């Protein structure tokens, strides 16, 4: 098993993006996801004539990060596009073995020098789902990731032209790199600028269904002292979490919430009634115990996380899909 532990300077707060200098020779990474969902990647040899052009988009991304505000990752947080980015610090959950995707993308981006060099014969035959541009810096390796195929705009039979008063034909390019990136990986941590990239990254940094069994056991261990869940509830939570990745991602945060309080079955019933949910749905084996089933697990998680509320003006009962703790 390989484990990446982020530098202590990067664990809680992002680096000073303005201090990062991209002076070193860039490394270009091309990768895809195999049939078994494992990520694989190789690197390209880069001629020095391309260094300047390869630095342009990463430099622009660093400027964006300086202006944007970091938001700590949780399944409930949706950053404002262009104003905020998700800061993901996976820590010891970043692992990779033969049975789990683990830290695939982050592992690749953290140490691209270990990747095999892609030769020209392979280059034309393979398909790609992402690419990256990586630099050695004084603070560590930084890799800019784009979740797109850099060859998708180069279709067979296309012709390419340049116009400078007169239209001239130019050679077909082998790669077309965008001017934007979806995420930046540094010292095992991730700054995700786009939600679609975040969804991909989450499957690689330890928030996927591979950890469900552990989280369910932790939930049941805590429940024995804080909330009276029936023994059969474990199977229900496990079934729902393995069916829905969104639920699997929420489990660690629900566990943190349960650590903060203790509630009896009667008190939980009062919470349900306050939000017009029938408590009978949670008492298949008696009033003193809470029974979770495939049909009510999500309601239970919503109540524990505080997602149910009443709108102040209209009085409408609502559920918060997009929320974060208030600062004031």
């Amino acid at each position: 098993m390989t484990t990446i532990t982020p530098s202590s300077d990067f664990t809680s707060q992002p680096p000073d993006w303005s201090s990062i200098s991209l002076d070193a020779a860039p490394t270009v990474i091309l990768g895809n996801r195999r049939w078994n969902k494992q990520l694989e990647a190789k690197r390209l040899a880069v001629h020095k004539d391309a260094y300047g052009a390869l630095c342009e988009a990463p430099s622009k991304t660093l400027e964006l990060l300086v202006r944007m505000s970091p938001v700590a990752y949780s399944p409930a947080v949706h950053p404002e596009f262009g104003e905020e980015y998700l800061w993901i610090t996976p820590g010891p959950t970043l692992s990779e073995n033969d049975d789990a995707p683990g830290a695939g993308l982050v592992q690749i981006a953290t140490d691209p020098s270990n990747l095999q060099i892609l030769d020209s014969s392979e280059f034309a035959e393979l398909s790609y789902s992402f690419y990256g541009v990586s630099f050695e810096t004084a603070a560590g390796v930084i890799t800019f990731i784009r979740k797109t195929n850099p060859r998708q705009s180069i279709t067979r039979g296309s012709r390419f032209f340049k116009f400078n008063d007169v239209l001239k034909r130019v050679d077909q390019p082998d790669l077309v790199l965008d001017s934007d990136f979806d995420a930046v990986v540094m010292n095992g941590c991730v700054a995700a600028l786009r939600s679609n990239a975040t969804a991909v990254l989450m499957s690689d940094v330890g928030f996927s269904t591979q950890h469900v069994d552990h989280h369910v056991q932790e939930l049941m261990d805590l429940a024995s002292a804080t909330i009276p869940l029936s023994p059969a509830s474990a199977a229900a939570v496990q079934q729902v979490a393995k069916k829905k990745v969104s639920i699997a991602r929420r489990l660690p945060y629900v566990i943190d919430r349960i650590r903060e309080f203790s509630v009896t079955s009667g008190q939980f019933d009062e919470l349900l009634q306050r939000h017009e949910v029938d408590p009978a749905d949670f008492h298949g084996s008696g009033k003193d115990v809470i029974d979770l089933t495939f049909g009510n697990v999500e309601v239970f998680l919503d109540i524990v996380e505080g997602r149910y509320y009443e709108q102040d003006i209209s009085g409408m009962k609502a559920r918060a899909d997009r929320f974060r703790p208030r600062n004031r």
Side-chain angles (χ1 to χ4, degrees), residues 239-268:
Q239 184 182 11
V240 175
K242 289 192 173 181
K243 183 178 179 63
K244 297 185 177 182
V245 175
S246 62
I247 300 299
R249 292 173 183 165
R250 288 170 60 186
L251 283 180
Y253 300 91
V254 171
I255 290 168
D256 287 342
R257 287 282 292 156
I258 291 176
R259 286 194 180 99
E260 298 171 359
F261 65 82
S262 177
V263 62
T264 66
S265 178
Q267 290 170 331
F268 186 73

Side-chain angles (χ1 to χ4, degrees), residues 16-282:
D16 178 4
W17 300 113
S18 64
S19 69
I20 295 173
S21 178
L22 306 180
D23 297 329
T27 299
V28 175
I29 301 166
L30 297 180
N32 57 25
R33 192 178 292 277
R34 297 184 300 189
W35 62 270
N36 61 358
K37 298 186 179 180
Q38 294 280 352
L39 290 178
E40 63 179 0
K42 293 188 177 183
R43 59 189 174 97
L44 299 179
V46 179
H47 192 278
K48 63 181 180 180
D49 288 351
Y51 289 1
L54 288 171
C55 284
E56 290 175 2
S59 297
K60 174 186 171 185
T61 301
L62 287 177
E63 292 173 4
L64 283 174
L65 288 170
V66 169
R67 298 195 299 268
M68 296 167 72
S69 301
V71 179
Y73 172 79
S74 82
V77 171
H78 296 259
E80 295 293 341
F81 180 72
E83 299 176 8
E84 300 172 321
Y85 64 88
L86 283 180
W87 180 240
I88 306 165
T89 55
T93 62
L94 248 172
S95 59
E96 184 169 39
N97 54 46
D98 294 337
D99 302 318
L105 186 56
V106 178
Q107 180 77 34
I108 289 167
T110 300
D111 195 6
S113 62
N114 282 337
L115 299 176
Q116 292 182 0
I117 294 179
L118 188 67
D119 62 39
S120 56
S121 61
E122 290 179 291
F123 175 81
E125 297 174 358
L126 299 177
S127 61
Y128 310 99
S129 59
F130 70 92
Y131 69 86
V133 182
S134 180
F135 300 85
E136 289 272 2
T137 76
V141 176
I142 185 170
T143 300
F144 301 81
I145 299 292
R146 181 67 164 163
K147 184 185 170 292
T148 190
N149 180 0
R151 290 177 56 80
Q152 66 183 357
S153 62
I154 307 170
T155 57
R156 184 174 298 176
S158 296
R159 299 294 182 267
F160 297 86
F161 301 87
K162 179 179 181 180
F163 180 72
N164 186 11
D165 293 333
V166 177
L167 189 67
K168 293 183 178 180
R169 182 174 176 177
V170 295
D171 292 337
Q172 176 176 310
D174 292 316
L175 287 180
V176 177
L177 305 186
D178 293 341
S179 58
D180 301 307
F181 288 98
D182 297 313
V184 179
V185 181
M186 191 168 192
N187 284 17
C189 299
V190 180
L193 289 84
R194 287 176 174 77
S195 57
N196 65 330
T198 305
V200 174
L201 285 167
M202 286 305 94
S203 67
D204 298 317
V205 296
F207 295 102
S208 61
T209 54
Q210 70 191 60
H211 297 284
V212 165
D213 293 345
H214 169 76
H215 291 319
V216 170
Q217 185 59 55
E218 189 175 8
L219 172 65
M220 297 305 295
D221 290 344
L222 280 171
S224 64
T226 59
I227 187 166
L229 294 180
S230 68
S233 295
V237 176
Q238 191 174 57
Q239 184 182 11
V240 175
K242 289 192 173 181
K243 183 178 179 63
K244 297 185 177 182
V245 175
S246 62
I247 300 299
R249 292 173 183 165
R250 288 170 60 186
L251 283 180
Y253 300 91
V254 171
I255 290 168
D256 287 342
R257 287 282 292 156
I258 291 176
R259 286 194 180 99
E260 298 171 359
F261 65 82
S262 177
V263 62
T264 66
S265 178
Q267 290 170 331
F268 186 73
D269 287 354
E270 292 176 8
L271 291 174
L272 293 173
Q273 291 170 340
R274 185 185 306 168
H275 297 293
E276 300 182 356
V277 178
D278 187 357
D281 294 340
F282 288 82

